[in-house]
Amino acid sequence: MSTHPTTPSQTVGPYLHIGLPWPDGPFAVAEGTPGAVWLRGAVYDGAGAPVTDALVETWQADPQGRFDHPDDPRGAKGTPGFRGFGRCPTDATGSYAILTLKPGPVPGPTGEQAPHVDVSVFARGMLHRVVTRLYFPEEEIANAQDPVLNSIEDPRARATLIAHREEGGYRLDIHLQGEDETVFFDV
Amino acid sequence: MSDTSHEGLHVPGYVRDHDTHPSLDFPFYKSTCLRHPKRPLTLLPHMLTEITAPVLGEDRLGALDHDLTRQHEEEPQGQRIIVHGQVRDSDGAPVPHTLVEIWQANAGGRYRHTGDNWPAPLDPNFTGVGRVITDERGHYRFVTIRPGAYPWKNHQNAWRPAHIHFSLFGRAFTQRLVTQMYFPDDPLFFQDPMWQSVPDEKARERMLARFDYDATEPEWALAYRWDIVLRGREQTPFESEEEVLEDDE
Ligand SMILES: [Fe+3]
C-alpha cells in the first residue's frame, strides 16, 4: 500500500534549545490547576552521567482517558485547559519536569490499559528518538493487567517503567544504557 | 464481527519504517556510544495513545515565524532563500494543519546558542528559528538564509554539511519526526556521520532538497523544495474484516 518511502530521522543535535523549547512547554496544564502533578526525572547515559542536552516530550490521555483528537473513535473530547502534551529540555543535572494531570485508563484491543504517559527522548548522540512509557505506582491492579507491561517478561525491566511517588507528583529516571537501562519501545 | 472487536477498541496502526532510519548505535558518530540502548526494543502495538497526538494550532505561531529574514531590525547576512514543500504520509495523503519547526545556523555556520562558540561571527539580525503550520494540502513555506557549514569535534577536520533542522508532529504520536534538510551538491557528505548513518543511499537522498527554479522569486530569492514523508496508516485485521463484509453486501 505504501508507495512513498518515508523521510529518515536525524539527531536534534546540540543546539536544539534555540528551536524546540516553548515557554509553556513543561505545562500540559497551567500551574494551580486542581489535581495537577509534576512528572520529574533525569536522563542518564551509559556511564551514569546526566544527559544535559536532551529534550523530553510526553503525550497522554486526560483524567477520563480521552484524547482531544479526531482519530479517537469515541470522539474527540478533552479536558478544557489540558493539552495532553508536555515538552521540557533537560537542565544541567539532566532533569526534566512536566506539569500535567494524571491520565485515566485507556481502552486497548484486549481490555483496558493502565493509566500511562508516552515519553519520547531526543538528544545529541541519538539519531532517532527513543520512546518509553511512564506508569503510576499506586495502580498495582491496573498495571498487573496492562498488555504493554505484561509484554515485558523480566520484572526488573518492567520496573523501569513505573514512576515513584514523590512530593508534588512522580519521578521516573530514564537510563539510555547500562545496568538500569530503561525499556524502550519499537513504535 | 468477532466478539473481541466489541470488547476491545481496535484502531488502525501506522506502518513501521525501520529500513528508512539510522540505527541508534552508529560508532562513526561518537556521541552515540553512551547514548544508545543496548537491549532490543520492545514492540509496542499501536493503540489510542500512539495513534493520537497534540492538535497544535495557529496560536503556537508568532507573526513572523515563517520568515527568518524579518525577525530583526535589519535583514540578516547571507543568501536569502525560500524553502518550501509538502508534508505527506507514505500513502501519499497530505498531512494538513501540522506544526513544522525549524532551526539553523547563520550564513557563517554559527548558531545563536551559548554552546556554539567557534570563531565565526554571530549575526545580530538572525535568530535562526522558524515555525509554520501546514495548509490544508500539507504545504509549508519558509523564507530564510542559506546556512553555512560548520566544524565540530567528531573526528579530525570534521565539518557538518549545510543543513536545516526540522521537527514535525504529524497527526499521530507514531508520526513524530525530527530530521535535517540538506542542500544538493554539498561536498561534505563523504565525511559526515549524520548523512552516512542512514543506511540506504536512496533514503539519504530523501533528506536532500532540490533547487526549484519555478519557485524562485525574480530579483529576490532562490528557492529549494523539500517534501517530507511521514508514516502512513496500516489496515488492521478488523478493518479488512469490515471491508469484506461491505463488499459482500
Ligand atoms: Fe546543526
Side-chain angles (χ1 to χ4, degrees), chain A residues 1-25 44-47 50-55 57-61 65 67-74 83-85 87 106-111 113 116-120 122-133 147-148 151-152 154 156-157 160 176-187, chain B residues 4 7-11 14-18 20-24 26 29 31-56 60 88-92 99 101-104 111-113 115-116 127-129 131 150 160 165 167 169 171-180 182 193-195 197-198 203-204 206-207 226-231 233 235:
Chain A
M1 278 291 243
S2 63
T3 46
H4 304 268
T6 52
T7 306
S9 169
Q10 294 272 273
T11 181
V12 288
Y15 307 126
L16 68 105
H17 311 92
I18 71 167
L20 291 182
W22 302 336
D24 65 348
Y44 297 100
D45 72 11
V51 177
T52 59
D53 52 6
L55 182 81
E57 289 184 349
T58 59
W59 174 242
Q60 59 166 101
F67 295 92
D68 191 7
H69 189 281
D71 292 342
D72 186 331
R74 301 165 296 172
R83 191 174 59 205
F85 176 73
R87 172 187 266 187
V106 171
T110 57
Q113 300 180 74
H116 64 272
V117 175
D118 275 12
V119 180
S120 302
F122 301 84
R124 171 180 68 84
M126 294 170 63
L127 288 157
H128 197 283
R129 68 170 168 173
V130 289
V131 171
T132 187
R133 269 188 172 193
V148 175
S151 71
I152 305 159
D154 175 9
R156 231 185 106 153
T160 66
L176 298 177
Q177 200 186 76
E179 210 171 308
D180 302 320
E181 187 176 305
T182 299
V183 170
F184 295 109
F185 293 106
D186 168 358
V187 285
Chain B
T4 44
E7 279 171 11
L9 189 50
H10 287 263
V11 290
Y14 281 75
V15 175
R16 292 173 198 265
D17 60 346
H18 303 114
T20 289
H21 301 292
S23 161
L24 282 159
F26 189 68
Y29 177 19
S31 307
T32 63
C33 296
L34 288 170
R35 294 185 170 195
H36 72 272
K38 291 199 169 172
R39 301 203 183 118
L41 301 180
T42 301
L43 190 79
L44 183 65
H46 299 160
M47 296 180 276
L48 276 173
T49 316
E50 289 72 39
I51 62 127
T52 54
V55 179
L56 302 162
R60 292 244 64 100
R88 287 171 303 162
D89 69 21
S90 52
D91 292 319
L99 182 65
E101 299 170 288
I102 64 168
W103 70 103
Q104 64 168 88
Y111 285 88
R112 182 170 289 283
H113 187 286
D116 186 1
T127 303
V129 178
R131 288 198 175 90
Y150 58 87
R160 292 300 329 280
H165 294 267
S167 164
F169 281 87
R171 84 183 261 135
F173 181 80
T174 54
Q175 286 187 320
R176 182 91 178 84
L177 180 70
V178 172
T179 184
Q180 300 179 24
Y182 297 90
M194 308 304 185
W195 175 262
S197 70
V198 174
R204 291 177 191 173
R206 298 200 290 275
M207 302 190 289
W226 192 47
D227 294 334
I228 301 162
V229 182
L230 306 177
R231 298 159 65 181
R233 298 273 186 106
Q235 289 199 325

